[in-house]
Amino acid sequence: MRRFTLCLLAGAALAWPLAASARDLPAAPAPDAPAPEAPPAVDDAGGDIIIVGKGQTRQVQQLSQADLAILAPGTSPLKAIAKLPNVNFQSADAFGAYEWSERVSIRSFNQNQIGFTLDGIPLGDGSYGNTNGLHISRAISPENVGRTEVSQGAGSIGTQATNNLGGTIEFFSSDPKPTFGLTLNGTYGSANTVRAFGRLDTGVLGENGPSAYVSYGFLDTDKWKGYGVQRQNQVNAKFIAPVGPVRLVGTFDFSDRRENDYQDLSLDMIKRLGLRNDNISNNFPLAVLIADTGANSGYTGAPKLNPAAGTVTPAPYANADDVYYDAAGLRQDYLASLGIETAKGATVHGELKGYYHSNHGQGIWFTPYVPSPSGVPISVRTTEYDIHRKGVFGSLGTKLAFNDITVGGWYEVNDFRQARRFYGLDSRTTPTRDALHFQYLPFATQWYNTYETDTVQYYVQDKIALGDLTVDLGWKGFSVTNKATPIVSGGLASGRIQVKDFFQPHAGLNYKLGNQVELFGDFTEVTRAFVAAATSGPFATTQAGFNALLTTNKLKPESSDTYEVGARYHYRGINALLAGYYVDFQNRTLAQTVGAGIVGNPPILSNVGSVRAYGLETALEAKLGYGFGVFASYSYNDSTYRDNVTVGGLVQNIKGKQTVDTPKHLAKGELTYDKGMFFGRIGADYMSRRYFTYTNDQSVPGRVLVDATIGARVTIADRKFEIQGNATNLFDKKYISTIGSNGFGYSGDNQTLLAGAPAQYFVTIKAGF
């Protein structure tokens, strides 16, 4: 395996092998798996970690398994990348894995506008109600992620994504180990957290034969406030088998995730009730009383069900939206792939892979807005998801003189069904349904629609090597057709839309100035296809609203032009990055939230014209000697709306306003130590003010969070043991993490905020045999 200059010390030595052999190396002499633009190989056994994109023509960084291993076990890979320049990641839990609260943005582009893949398999648009994929936390256990590649710009043109206006996040699973081994990890900590992980590697079977692993992960944790649990069972498996000049690769992933939700907050609620206000899942009679009084006051519009209840909501609550009984997210996923791939350095190189993804999910809310037929003033409202995706992608390239020409393609059919249903409760004193179980036998269906999305994408790329100058030239194109067919219409839009853009160009260059300095620059043009769902995209509005968008010619796909320039420096343990960028974002579509999220009103969609963003990114890593290392990054982002918007005849003055959920300043830093038996890390994360209205009249303040790790490792009779302690939010900062959990409005307070987790502590024991 090729080796490269170490570019990040932070946790590098912590990818300590828990088996008797080097960690996550392919079975020799099987070739390495290809990846878009053929990034350098990463030694997952604590070898080289490329973080500043050495040799790349675009702004890109890469993290290894070591950067995940040093965090609290079970931590989402998305939280690990939060230290990179211009990456804004938020979650209301310590692990960054609670999906309702997960938000990631890069250079002001939110997760719906970022491309996500795992081993090239598209993961969809990253939204909570993901209609065309799944979150990375469900796709693979973090212990099995070999490396993560982040592109702050528009990303690689070979990425299987039609939404990557603002970059790509590509995850790659680790390979089976070449020798037999067993890894066992166990964690216990705050909020009665129990995390267990086990992985069995077969090693290479026979002489240059196949190898495989299978793993099981389990997480069970109480909510840090209120009542309820968040639980996941996960299975991953992978095999590789050399077949002549190529290797056969197969993967299988299963996840069953069930998590009680936290209460969404507003600034007014936080002022009156505090950050710890949460669902009253331990007090069903109180929830019934609050629903009664809401109905009696005409608050919900429901019929008066209990004349004796009165019209005053019990203190300290002011209305039925201050607190709900319970809410939850349930997701079951199966993801499988099979393919062949050549070595990245082969004269003729390529891959071909097919995949299948099945998802069944329910988002559950105990709603006071719709009574049960029994007379109980609460019912269980669900948003239900069923995804069946199947696709194939591949590439073929060859080296001709100083050219490395690659062509590739991707085809996917996504059959998606989505419904809004209501399930009855039979008692006023005892809840007769459990939020952590799938609901059956509804008494009403508000809407039920089928959606089909057909995607065809191709790309052409030429990497030209001219001595110290490398030039990337290419383009990608796609055609995405969305169809919506109602089974139970419910007033939501149906019809057919299509986005075609067969020429989205990319050009980049990298020039080496000696052995220490390299300059790079690139330009990328990207178009974003529409998604088809009742909760996002053009079909999420009413039929009249959808028709109006079509007839006024305002339903146009979003697009972006990204320009980047930068320099990298590598010398004697010091690695530095400085980059600047300019983004022209056109035909931005905004969805205005109408009413409380639990009501489920269709949003108002608006084409808000263009957005301009420019900024600066810098990172520095240095090895200080004696086992110490330091890493720091800073980014500045100025992203503003360029046009006012007219909604319902009213002009919304958003021109010149900062885009929502876009901090202007991000600064991150960490100090690490790893020498001999002991290792440790302390990291700080600063974020400036964020707005959650388009007119910037409502915002949440900046904050600084600190995490820490300390640990020790020993070897006894060739068996390796490690103990690791983790602290998240070390100084117990009280802050607002996620904004926009129920969308954004043009002005005014909104119940769309989530509180961040307090200080939490975890201890992990790892063993390798």
Side-chain angles (χ1 to χ4, degrees), residues 31-35 37-42 147 342-347 349-350 399 404:
D32 293 329
E37 294 196 6
V42 172
R147 73 178 190 272
T342 67
K344 289 187 290 289
T347 302
H349 53 84
K399 297 180 180 179
D404 191 345

Side-chain angles (χ1 to χ4, degrees), residues 188-520:
Y188 182 77
S190 299
N192 293 316
T193 296
V194 176
R195 160 80 180 174
F197 175 80
R199 170 168 154 167
L200 176 67
D201 283 82
T202 66
V204 177
L205 302 176
E207 184 175 349
N208 196 29
S211 58
Y213 69 76
V214 61
S215 72
Y216 171 70
F218 172 76
L219 173 66
D220 186 281
T221 179
D222 292 342
K223 292 168 56 180
W224 61 264
K225 66 173 180 175
Y227 298 85
V229 300
Q230 297 182 332
R231 183 178 299 128
Q232 182 177 22
N233 290 276
Q234 192 164 26
V235 175
N236 298 148
K238 182 175 183 179
F239 80 88
I240 59 175
V243 182
V246 301
R247 70 175 189 174
L248 185 67
V249 180
T251 63
F252 172 79
D253 306 295
F254 166 76
S255 170
D256 186 302
R257 190 177 190 89
R258 307 188 183 207
E259 48 191 21
N260 286 110
D261 288 320
Y262 292 97
Q263 177 87 12
D264 299 296
L265 306 173
S266 65
L267 292 180
D268 174 66
M269 291 171 63
I270 294 170
K271 182 179 179 180
R272 291 185 291 109
L273 303 169
L275 285 170
R276 282 190 168 267
N277 182 56
D278 199 42
N279 297 326
I280 49 173
S281 308
N282 65 322
N283 197 337
F284 187 70
L286 176 59
V288 170
L289 179 58
I290 292 173
D292 273 335
T293 57
N296 290 344
S297 65
Y299 180 76
T300 67
K304 190 172 182 178
L305 299 173
N306 183 10
T311 60
V312 179
T313 305
Y317 308 113
N319 56 61
D321 286 320
D322 271 355
V323 65
Y324 305 128
Y325 173 68
D326 204 358
L330 315 180
R331 300 290 189 272
Q332 284 187 344
D333 291 274
Y334 296 86
L335 179 66
S337 71
L338 181 64
I340 58 172
E341 51 194 30
T342 67
K344 289 187 290 289
T347 302
V348 177
H349 53 84
E351 63 177 334
L352 180 65
K353 181 176 293 185
Y355 62 90
Y356 174 76
H357 171 220
S358 171
N359 165 266
H360 176 59
Q362 288 185 348
I364 292 172
W365 241 333
F366 281 69
T367 174
Y369 284 84
V370 178
S372 296
S374 63
V376 177
I378 299 174
S379 64
V380 178
R381 194 209 83 169
T382 64
T383 305
E384 304 186 8
Y385 310 83
D386 284 283
I387 300 174
H388 295 281
R389 291 190 302 145
K390 43 191 175 294
V392 61
F393 62 89
S395 65
L396 183 63
T398 186
K399 297 180 180 179
L400 298 173
F402 50 78
N403 297 278
D404 191 345
I405 301 173
T406 303
V407 296
W410 167 42
Y411 174 69
E412 179 182 277
V413 175
N414 178 19
D415 295 314
F416 173 57
R417 296 194 173 202
Q418 193 174 30
R420 170 68 46 77
R421 295 191 172 103
F422 296 87
Y423 298 81
L425 299 167
D426 300 325
S427 171
R428 296 179 61 88
T429 58
T430 304
T432 53
R433 290 184 181 269
D434 187 342
L436 291 184
H437 287 80
F438 283 95
Q439 306 300 305
Y440 297 95
L441 300 176
F443 68 82
T445 297
Q446 182 179 353
W447 44 259
Y448 178 25
N449 298 321
T450 65
Y451 301 93
E452 181 178 321
T453 300
D454 296 329
T455 301
V456 178
Q457 178 177 286
Y458 81 103
Y459 74 93
V460 178
Q461 182 180 22
D462 186 10
K463 184 179 290 289
I464 305 170
L466 302 172
D468 290 333
L469 176 65
T470 299
V471 179
D472 280 331
L473 297 173
W475 71 92
K476 80 171 183 178
F478 63 68
S479 172
V480 178
T481 304
N482 308 106
K483 299 176 184 177
T485 304
I487 298 175
V488 177
S489 173
L492 291 177
S494 62
R496 179 183 183 275
I497 52 177
Q498 185 179 52
V499 176
K500 288 183 180 180
D501 189 346
F502 288 121
F503 185 69
Q504 301 169 48
H506 165 82
L509 59 87
N510 180 291
Y511 184 71
K512 296 180 180 179
L513 296 175
N515 295 324
Q516 289 82 42
V517 178
E518 60 182 57
L519 307 177
F520 67 93

